[in-house]
Amino acid sequence: MEAGADWAESGTTAWRTTSIEIEGVRRARITCGFLDDDGTADRTPGVVSSAFVRDGRILAIQADDRRPGESPATRATLRTGDLAVVLVRRVGESALVTPEHEGWTATRSVGIIRAEPLIARWLHIWLRTPTAKARIDEDVTAHVEPTVSLDTLRQMLFPLPPPEVIGAYHRAFSLIEEMTALYGEAARKAVETADALHDDWAASAGRWETRPLAKVATSKTGKGSERSLPPSPPEPSADVIAPKDLYDLPVPHVSRFRLLGPAEGGALQPSGSIVLSTRSDGVHTAVLSRPATPLRSVVAIRPAEIQDRWWLLHELRSRSSDIAGLAQGRNGREISALALRRLEITWPNGFSRAEFHRAAEPLHEAAQLLVSRIATLHDLRNALLRDISAKAGILREPATESAERDTGAPDHAEIPLP
């Protein structure tokens, strides 16, 4: 948006251009938390760090007997209606504070915009537009991690539509967020139910034998890195999956692939294959819904029989810490097919594996359907955000690296983490 523009036309209604600084302390002001993000903040009841500001909301944190409101109020004490903005790493992501987090204390990585309800609600929407992301990206510093300053947010110009327009957009985005959360919770529960079924069956391990993974499946380590991929995908091309595409997946399904590469070379893995990567926090897995090529630090595992994939998937999920122990390198990210082949896993007889497949298949089909619906909601949300940018007078696109930073890298439909 041009700095000198005072108005942006949307139909017959004008959108005024303003900023937090222009609105003044009576209508809008911004500050930040004062607690350090020292690694314990994410586990401390009564404290909100940037890690918990995701997907338009503040994620629930397990509370104890201490009530946050009992502490004296400070500038970092959150109030209902405040807008919490991430200042470090996933810069610009925001969430409106609800009564659930009234009186909680923010860390230094969280900016707090305290404004009139209409302004706070609008900024919650505006900060997600391509234009706002591009503007923030111009002033992001990255000495250690991407960081945006309070001054940037305070001085950043934004359009302010009439109250009835803000109300309509707020209702639409709130419903999209609610539906996304609802579908995400249902998808997680479906997979957790399959996990529970596996654990129940595996508890009868005395009846089952154990076998090395190499005896029941073939495994292959991916090659190359994202940087080695050609800038323009050749023909024929195929989906490519990198380790970070598997990190933090709430369900073991990728609805959309972020990368494309050559389809030749024999590295393409068929649909139904299990792809696996590791981090210090454990193993991250997914089942391919269509053929894809794994990159380095991703192992593709193909069961001998397709009906064994659900048992094998949940067996690998249940052995997360054991598999992470086989990884090497910094933060345990280097896992190889050779190391996995020796992994001893519980292996029921063929009849029992087929029974488990029949029980788990509908649960995974439900999870995949819900993930695809979330992808549709994200498309609708992004279309609305682009439309808002256009109505504001100019549509700008953030840099690719900024876009990946904001979304956590993969373009698959993200489900809010529990």
Side-chain angles (χ1 to χ4, degrees), residues 14 39 54 67 69 96 116 186 209 213 289 365 385:
R54 289 181 179 271
R67 288 185 294 178
L96 287 168
E116 293 182 356
E209 62 178 322
L213 181 64
S289 58
E365 287 179 349
L385 291 171

Side-chain angles (χ1 to χ4, degrees), residues 37 41 55-56 60 63 68 74 93 128 153 157 162 167 175 214 318 347 377 383:
D37 293 75
D55 302 286
T74 67
E93 190 160 349
R128 286 178 281 180
L153 296 177
L157 294 173
L175 289 171
S318 72
W347 201 248
L377 289 173

Side-chain angles (χ1 to χ4, degrees), residues 21-292:
E21 187 174 58
I22 292 173
E23 292 302 312
V25 295
R26 282 190 170 184
R27 298 196 69 197
R29 53 197 171 107
I30 184 170
T31 184
C32 68
F34 62 79
L35 296 180
D36 290 329
D37 293 75
D38 56 2
T40 63
D42 297 346
R43 302 185 299 274
T44 305
V47 173
V48 173
S49 73
S50 59
F52 288 95
V53 181
R54 289 181 179 271
D55 302 286
R57 63 196 182 105
I58 299 176
L59 302 181
I61 307 170
Q62 185 175 2
D64 57 9
D65 294 333
R66 181 177 66 85
R67 288 185 294 178
E70 295 175 351
S71 303
T74 67
R75 74 160 197 267
T77 302
L78 297 174
R79 299 179 189 171
T80 300
D82 286 350
L83 184 65
V85 184
V86 176
L87 303 177
V88 179
R89 205 169 173 183
R90 293 174 293 104
V91 294
E93 190 160 349
S94 65
L96 287 168
V97 178
T98 63
E100 181 183 4
H101 295 98
E102 170 85 30
W104 291 50
T105 304
T107 63
R108 296 182 194 277
S109 61
V110 176
I112 305 169
I113 296 177
R114 186 158 293 155
E116 293 182 356
L118 279 174
I119 295 177
R121 291 173 182 175
W122 178 248
L123 282 173
H124 179 42
I125 296 171
W126 175 252
L127 288 174
R128 286 178 281 180
T129 63
T131 301
K133 289 182 178 181
R135 176 63 189 88
I136 289 172
D137 191 53
E138 292 175 356
D139 289 345
V140 165
T141 58
H143 298 298
V144 179
E145 293 181 306
T147 304
V148 66
S149 69
L150 291 181
D151 282 342
T152 293
L153 296 177
R154 184 181 293 111
Q155 298 168 10
M156 184 179 70
L157 294 173
F158 61 88
L160 189 63
E164 63 274 13
V165 175
I166 295 176
Y169 275 124
H170 175 68
R171 183 170 181 271
F173 279 95
S174 295
L175 289 171
I176 290 173
E177 289 172 4
E178 289 174 12
M179 291 178 69
T180 298
L182 178 64
Y183 289 158
E185 181 67 12
R188 280 195 302 273
K189 292 302 182 184
V191 176
E192 288 172 6
T193 301
D195 279 332
L197 287 174
H198 166 270
D199 294 345
D200 181 55
W201 287 36
S204 305
R207 296 189 297 159
W208 317 126
E209 62 178 322
T210 59
R211 293 184 184 181
L213 181 64
K215 295 291 186 181
V216 299
T218 59
S219 54
K220 186 174 182 179
T221 308
K223 297 180 180 179
S225 64
E226 290 190 44
R227 293 183 179 180
S228 67
L229 296 175
S232 298
E235 291 295 339
S237 61
D239 293 309
V240 174
I241 193 155
K244 66 181 180 182
D245 295 327
L246 300 176
Y247 298 155
D248 303 324
L249 285 177
V251 295
H253 300 283
V254 182
S255 65
R256 295 179 179 179
F257 291 83
R258 185 172 54 93
L259 303 169
L260 283 176
E264 302 172 348
L268 195 65
Q269 299 297 316
S271 59
S273 299
I274 299 170
V275 284
L276 176 152
S277 190
T278 55
R279 263 192 324 195
S280 56
D281 59 349
V283 65
H284 298 260
T285 57
V287 176
L288 294 178
S289 58
R290 59 177 186 249

